[in-house]
Amino acid sequence: MSGFGVAGPPPAPSIEGWNHLRTGKVRDLYSNESGEILLVASDRISAFDWVLPTTIPNKGAILTQLSLFWFELLADIVPNHVISDEVPESVADRAVIVQPLEMFAIECVGRGYLTGSGLVEYKINQEVCGNPLPAGLLDGSALPASIFTPATKAEVGDHDINIDFQSASKIVGAEAAEDLRRLTLALYDTAADFARGRGIILADTKFEFGINMAGEITLGDEALTPDSSRFWESDGWAPGKSQPSFDKQFVRDWLTASGWDKKSAPPELPAEIVAKTAARYQDAYERITGSKF
């Protein structure tokens, strides 16, 4: 079953001049006669591998505009897939035209703090994806240095699975794995330093890379958004507890407390949770970019 449940994904809007390719948890992909891709970010939100029935106002536009900010800031490290942000009026602000890429079959995750699935693994063997770590770390602890923690790519509705570097090398090849690790850590470290200057901790983030038509490794999908990253408030950060975040934690917490079994179709979100979540996404955008949304 997909993350949309038995009903499947919602119908994709028709856009003149573009043919619908596929629908993901958040994004709809289209192509044109030139082979370019129109990447449209919806206001859908997912949690626990389900796409929820309730949308978050302006979420798609915030994800798109924040990604464009980071793509420009990090362009000296790696090229990105963006061709233009001049898109059809019906998807203005929430879409970009991008190059088609031959995507690598792994997620590339950079971590500077211990939490989430990394914390779960650390408690078992004091490692994360084959990276040995010091004893005594807590939920939210800063790591001695950033680490590369790749994962397999899952279908919509399934879990990504963390893997070690050796396993990643078997999937994409040893040379590509080395390049992806180097680029992931360079991007993470640069972005984390920038965010720190805005009072935000970048705990971890996921990148997706592909090969463009010129044979170059290229950054694709989204970059350093609240959907693909954990952003925490610098003020109030303390290891050993849940950190104040700029993502969908309000949604996760409410769903957990609601009694939902996470196996059947998820419930609608109450207006208060929608409003709080929308405000956190907007706050993240404005704090990071220094611009009003």
Side-chain angles (χ1 to χ4, degrees):
M1 183 186 300
S2 78
F4 293 98
V6 294
S14 177
I15 302 175
E16 185 176 356
W18 296 89
N19 298 311
H20 178 249
L21 292 177
R22 70 178 183 86
T23 293
K25 287 182 181 179
V26 173
R27 288 170 177 78
D28 296 305
L29 275 69
Y30 300 77
S31 66
N32 64 10
E33 292 181 352
S34 300
E36 298 168 333
I37 304 296
L38 181 68
L39 194 61
V40 182
S42 73
D43 290 339
R44 295 189 294 269
I45 189 167
S46 65
F48 304 112
D49 298 316
W50 283 83
V51 178
L52 306 183
T54 314
T55 57
I56 305 298
N58 296 321
K59 178 174 175 282
I62 288 171
L63 296 183
T64 300
Q65 297 306 311
L66 187 55
S67 290
L68 286 170
F69 173 84
W70 285 114
F71 282 142
E72 182 177 355
L73 187 72
L74 301 170
D76 289 343
I77 297 174
V78 64
N80 61 70
H81 66 165
V82 175
I83 296 173
S84 174
D85 61 356
E86 295 183 7
V87 299
E89 182 62 31
S90 62
V91 291
D93 297 327
R94 65 175 57 247
V96 286
I97 298 171
V98 302
Q99 308 170 55
L101 302 177
E102 183 181 346
M103 302 303 293
F104 289 103
I106 59 171
E107 309 278 7
C108 295
V109 180
R111 299 177 190 264
Y113 292 76
L114 185 64
T115 194
S117 61
L119 177 65
V120 173
E121 184 180 348
Y122 173 82
K123 288 180 176 179
I124 297 170
N125 58 18
Q126 206 177 302
E127 294 183 351
V128 180
C129 296
N131 296 279
L133 296 173
L137 299 181
L138 304 173
D139 187 1
S141 288
L143 303 180
S146 56
I147 59 175
F148 177 60
T149 62
T152 60
K153 287 186 177 181
E155 296 298 322
V156 175
D158 293 332
H159 287 289
D160 294 337
I161 299 173
N162 291 349
I163 56 177
D164 60 19
F165 184 75
Q166 184 177 10
S167 298
S169 297
K170 290 179 180 178
I171 295 172
V172 301
E175 183 177 354
E178 290 283 359
D179 288 339
L180 294 176
R181 175 167 61 182
R182 173 181 55 81
L183 290 170
T184 296
L185 294 179
L187 291 169
Y188 171 82
D189 289 340
T190 302
D193 286 344
F194 181 89
R196 194 174 298 114
R198 301 297 174 97
I200 294 174
I201 291 171
L202 175 60
D204 55 43
T205 193
K206 176 196 75 176
F207 298 111
E208 293 200 33
F209 297 95
I211 300 291
N212 67 12
M213 294 182 69
E216 302 170 304
I217 294 180
T218 302
L219 182 59
D221 195 52
E222 62 182 325
L224 294 148
T225 72
D227 271 16
S228 64
S229 317
R230 285 188 177 91
F231 293 117
W232 296 338
E233 287 272 12
S234 295
D235 292 341
W237 168 75
K241 66 179 184 65
S242 178
Q243 310 301 324
S245 66
F246 290 88
D247 57 16
K248 45 194 171 187
Q249 197 59 47
F250 285 121
V251 170
R252 294 191 195 99
D253 290 347
W254 184 86
L255 288 169
T256 298
S258 72
W260 173 50
D261 62 9
K262 302 177 186 176
K263 298 177 182 178
S264 57
E268 292 277 357
L269 298 175
E272 178 187 8
I273 298 302
V274 171
K276 286 182 175 180
T277 302
R280 289 307 270 169
Y281 274 75
Q282 182 172 333
D283 193 16
Y285 172 86
E286 293 179 349
R287 289 271 296 275
I288 290 167
T289 66
S291 301
K292 295 292 288 183
F293 177 75

